[in-house]
Amino acid sequence: MNTEVLKINPDAPDAALIERAASVIRGGGLAAFPTETVYGLGADAFNPSAVEKIFRAKGRPADNPLISHISEISQVRLLAREIPPEAECLMERFWGGPLTIILKKRPEVPAVVSAGLDTVSVRMPSHSVAHELIRRSGTPIAAPSANLSGSPSPTTAAHCMADMLGRVDVIIDGGDSLIGLESTVVDMTGPVPTVLRPGAITAEDIASVTGRCVYGGESSGAPKCPGMKYTHYSPRADVVAVSDMKNAAALLAGAKGKTAVIDLCGGDYPADVVYDAGADLASYAARLFYLLRRADEDGVSLILARLPGPEGIGAAIRNRLLKAAGGRTDKPC
Ligand code: TXA
Ligand code: MG
């Protein structure tokens, strides 16, 4: 398949170019596009054969449901049959932004979108290009992250192209994703709001609106977020999540092949490459997936990456990093 790449400035999105991508969505094709979290791989959520193409393009297991993206809060009613008042408050407070809300689904939502579940996950991005693309498409857009299944989500157009050129009709190059980790997924179908995937909006942020919110999913036995059992965010290199960077030298000693360290403000380590994750956790989040992919491009075979504490966006960084590392840390279990 020939993939058209459209370069669109997020500060002043070109209406004609967005319209070109929107016509691909309306015509049942696939369009990769930037969001504030990561790049997404979109299709018309109400066109089952278009949505099936997403699963083929990514190599994604069919039992892993997709998020439907909307451009106005009112569109949530096209997808959800029941909207608890607390969920409405979350939408008012956090949309557009990096929060995905799971609700009871309307029967009109194709089973392929929800992987046969009775629920639907909905998100309204804040990114100008994503917003305009959804608006002009005139339909909710089902979109997972635009990576091949199993690899880190793309946060730059180049990484999106590395995985999706030849697999989709169009890729919008709209610059880097500012947040860099996928949205928080919160389940609002049970008695207590439950975060199934941590992200930039924390359980504490949600509890400040709803009164209560717990972390669930993986931490509570059987995963309710089906993707969590599949997604490993893994580069080809081995990854170790390091909670005490004083252990780095010992972990690097005797390592075979090219070694790399990812740390805040770089740092002085006996590795072949030291990648600077920025000065704070927000920049670490923004750079983590980029650096994991970059290490592969640089031929690195072992990556040591700082494992931050669980405060704020640290919980999301820990979640992705521990998956990338397959649970390998500097501490015995
Ligand atoms: O930031 C994001 O959320 C990005 C951008 C493109 O919006 N999208 C994204 O989609 O990360 P994806 O498909 O890579 O991850 C969605 C996660 C998966 O773990 C999936 O299992 C879970 O959300 N999910 C989706 N619908 C669900 C549902 N109805 N019930 C439980 N989990 C659901
Ligand atoms: Mg994904």
Side-chain angles (χ1 to χ4, degrees), residues 42-65:
D44 176 354
F46 283 106
N47 180 338
S49 57
V51 174
E52 275 164 22
K53 293 184 200 167
I54 292 179
F55 286 84
R56 285 201 294 276
K58 275 185 67 95
R60 181 176 175 108
D63 63 350
N64 192 3

Side-chain angles (χ1 to χ4, degrees), residues 69-284:
H69 296 69
I70 58 178
S71 56
E72 309 294 334
I73 292 183
S74 59
Q75 284 181 303
V76 73
R77 285 173 211 292
L78 301 170
L79 300 155
R81 69 170 190 273
E82 232 177 84
I83 303 169
E86 287 184 334
E88 223 147 349
C89 295
L90 290 177
M91 294 168 198
E92 290 294 337
R93 172 73 181 79
F94 296 114
W95 281 0
L99 180 68
T100 295
I101 302 181
I102 297 180
L103 299 162
K104 299 237 169 79
K105 120 180 164 55
R106 287 181 75 97
E108 293 82 358
V109 178
V112 61
V113 172
S114 57
L117 298 176
D118 185 38
T119 53
V120 64
S121 53
V122 190
R123 164 162 128 75
M124 185 170 123
S126 62
H127 196 288
S128 60
V129 173
H131 177 84
E132 277 303 291
L133 176 67
I134 302 161
R135 194 177 70 76
R136 284 182 175 270
S137 298
T139 179
I141 295 183
S145 48
N147 51 288
L148 294 173
S149 214
S151 43
S153 299
T155 55
T156 66
H159 284 161
C160 180
M161 285 188 243
D163 280 17
M164 288 302 147
L165 270 180
R167 293 174 176 268
V168 301
D169 299 286
V170 65
I171 295 176
I172 300 179
D173 171 351
D176 299 350
S177 294
L178 288 178
I179 294 173
L181 298 179
E182 305 87 345
S183 60
T184 305
V185 177
V186 65
D187 185 356
M188 295 302 289
T189 64
V192 183
T194 303
V195 170
L196 303 182
R197 179 175 71 181
I201 293 172
T202 63
E204 295 72 39
D205 294 333
I206 293 169
S208 75
V209 173
T210 60
R212 281 195 303 172
C213 182
V214 296
Y215 282 108
E218 297 171 296
S219 52
S220 63
K224 220 186 154 189
C225 201
M228 287 311 201
K229 69 176 191 260
Y230 290 115
T231 321
H232 298 298
Y233 310 100
S234 296
R236 284 189 298 279
D238 288 335
V239 180
V240 182
V242 182
S243 51
D244 184 350
M245 292 306 285
K246 287 202 280 295
N247 294 327
L251 289 162
L252 289 165
K256 292 195 181 60
K258 193 166 174 181
T259 57
V261 169
I262 298 177
D263 196 5
L264 294 168
C265 302
D268 190 15
Y269 296 101
D272 294 305
V273 206
V274 178
Y275 297 117
D276 183 349
D280 57 24
L281 291 187
S283 28
Y284 191 0

